[in-house]
Amino acid sequence: MYAKTNGATTLGVDGLLIDVEVDAASGLPAFDIVGLPDTAVRESKERVRTAIRNAGYSVPQEKVTINLAPADIRKDSSGLDLPIAVGLLAAYGIIAQKALEGALFAAELSLEGECRPVCGVLPMAIRARDAGLKAFFVAPENANEALLVEGLKVYAVSNLTQLVHFLTGKVKIEPTTAEPVEEHETTSYSDDFADVAGQFVAKRALEIAAAGGHNVLLVGVPGAGKTMLARRLGSILPPLTREEALEVTKIYSIAGLLPSRGGLVRQRPFRSPHHTTSTAAMIGGGSIPHPGEVTLAHHGVLFLDELPEFQKSTLEVLRQPLEDGFVTVSRVHATLKFPSSMILVAALNPCPCGYYGDESHSHECNCTPNEIRRYMRKISGPLLDRIDIHIRVPRVKYDELTAQKKAESSAEIRERVVAAREVQLRRFAGTGIFCNAQMNHRLLQLTCPMKKDAHALLREAFRNLGLSARSHDRIIKVARTIADLAHSEQIEAVHVAEAIQLRNDVGLHVE
């Protein structure tokens, strides 16, 4: 007796359809699962047999073989419980094979036969639709997530008994019609730039970073407000586009970080890992690689506070995602590409004690040159070269701190950022690029016309400051963003001058 049904798992940030083949034959009782199942999938045989019995069905004790194809890819989803159970019931004739055609099943089973939610339903649903499947059976908690994909009938089934009765025609279940949460719901932020006294240069730098998607380095003495400024960057970022929101939701679905009822992620991610974070946690890893912090920050912000305190090896793995917008993770069983197009915001003190170069002279720096050199050595030159904006955050003056005049709010700044991003979306329509920071060299030449005096200024800076080719391109990208904020079609000398100043404001030299 043989039956076949459709299950799914995830591979990287995409769904992977699994052919669940069930064969039941006479022989010594056995229940084998083949096709590179991991521990959670191997243990499903105990959950499935008990769930079937407690659901009121009995199957003969025979030799049962479950094959999960393709057999050369490791499977790690407990969501294969439901298709295995349905396939087994079909093999014994309880469910007709025809009832399983064009359907995908994904849910974990409890010992009582209840359907439990699983991670990664959104990428599974996208893959099912692309493969031409018409029906998707999930646990009720996953229904809203599956409904984000058009072209699929989504059925929310509470338990195995209900599903079997539907597939055998005993009861009728209507496709779920629960509406996803409104995509254009306004997001409120508890942190607002109106609460930040002074720091006008840093605020301007973060506005430019938000408008163009540029990386930022904040350097300053303890208490100057580096962390406070960084945490408010999310409040001025533009809303996610539909395409961006789907990408972020897919990632958070796979990572199991979506709200309990699913729905589209509408707020840009803000990730702030501790400096003890391992390299694998930062970049992604595991026997079957899962998303790391750089991927969880996709289309959002990755904030690294106390940058030199991170392990040097952890910082060096940031080079590829900062340059390419994705990271490639290789393991024995798979080599996967994870998206990682994010804004990096890094904050650090200028020395171990934090007071080197303090203009107020209220604290004397006690660090020796060797201690400062050793402290900064963890940050390599190539990593710094990939950060577009370097800003020194000075100590706030007393008069600024006690001023009665309210500073500009995040909403006001966000209006200018959104307007600049809309210009960029029109400019890069159809290219898969969302902001200036993602431009390659070819697009840079096509979309960044510069006036003669701007060219002359950049040529002079390139020669005098010893800039690299990467630095040259990144200065032009920042200048393009400054021009967008100024509603200028061409990049002028004043835009280039500000971009150069923003890149050399700190003057860090790492040996």
Side-chain angles (χ1 to χ4, degrees), residues 25-332:
S26 300
L28 292 175
F31 199 118
D32 296 318
I33 300 178
V34 298
L36 284 182
D38 76 341
T39 302
V41 179
R42 284 197 301 270
E43 290 177 347
S44 68
K45 61 185 181 182
E46 303 300 335
R47 293 192 296 271
V48 168
R49 286 193 298 193
T50 306
I52 289 175
R53 185 179 69 248
N54 289 334
Y57 301 97
S58 60
V59 293
Q61 293 293 314
E62 295 183 328
K63 179 177 176 56
V64 174
T65 303
I66 310 289
N67 180 46
L68 307 176
D72 61 341
I73 297 176
R74 185 170 291 277
K75 292 83 181 176
D76 67 340
S77 174
S78 60
L80 292 171
D81 286 4
L82 189 59
I84 289 174
V86 169
L88 188 59
L89 292 172
Y92 283 110
I94 298 174
I95 300 174
Q97 176 67 54
K98 188 176 181 180
L100 308 182
E101 294 177 1
L104 176 65
F105 303 87
E108 181 183 323
L109 288 175
S110 73
L111 297 183
E112 290 183 320
E114 299 293 320
C115 292
R116 290 174 172 167
V118 295
C119 299
V121 164
L122 177 57
M124 293 178 193
I126 294 173
R127 184 69 187 89
R129 179 199 60 191
D130 295 344
L133 299 181
K134 300 301 181 183
F136 192 12
F137 294 87
V138 296
E141 293 85 349
N142 287 138
N144 274 354
E145 188 179 340
L147 281 168
L148 295 174
V149 180
E150 298 178 356
L152 276 179
K153 290 182 178 180
V154 178
Y155 294 88
V157 290
S158 300
N159 52 62
L160 184 59
T161 303
Q162 181 189 24
L163 176 59
V164 174
H165 285 174
F166 172 70
L167 294 175
T168 54
K170 294 181 180 179
V171 299
K172 187 176 182 180
I173 302 177
E174 294 295 331
T176 184
T177 56
E179 292 295 328
V181 180
E182 286 296 324
E183 299 167 22
H184 301 293
E185 178 182 315
T186 56
T187 304
S188 59
Y189 295 92
S190 57
D191 296 325
D192 196 290
F193 271 100
D195 304 325
V196 181
Q199 303 297 6
F200 303 107
V201 174
K203 289 179 184 178
R204 169 66 174 170
L206 290 177
E207 178 182 341
I208 294 169
H214 304 289
N215 304 318
V216 184
L217 178 69
L218 303 173
V219 182
V221 298
K226 302 184 297 295
T227 302
M228 179 177 64
L229 286 163
R231 292 193 180 281
R232 282 160 173 76
L233 179 58
S235 68
I236 63 172
L237 289 172
L240 288 166
T241 65
R242 169 76 179 183
E243 187 177 350
E244 288 176 324
L246 281 173
E247 290 181 16
V248 174
T249 305
K250 279 175 59 177
I251 293 167
Y252 275 66
S253 172
I254 291 167
L257 298 177
L258 284 183
S260 58
R261 299 301 297 183
L264 200 65
V265 173
R266 298 173 305 284
Q267 187 170 334
R268 291 185 181 272
F270 185 95
R271 303 292 299 181
S272 180
H274 192 258
H275 63 255
T276 56
T277 298
S278 68
T279 301
M282 181 70 74
I283 211 72
S287 57
I288 300 177
H290 281 73
E293 291 292 340
V294 296
T295 301
L296 294 174
H298 185 53
H299 291 317
V301 178
L302 177 65
F303 175 47
L304 303 183
D305 203 1
E306 304 298 342
L307 189 68
E309 300 298 334
F310 284 81
Q311 295 181 20
K312 185 177 177 64
S313 58
T314 302
L315 294 180
E316 289 307 299
V317 299
L318 295 174
R319 290 193 196 182
Q320 185 195 7
L322 290 180
E323 187 72 21
D324 301 331
F326 64 86
V327 60
T328 303
V329 181
S330 297
R331 295 294 184 268
V332 173

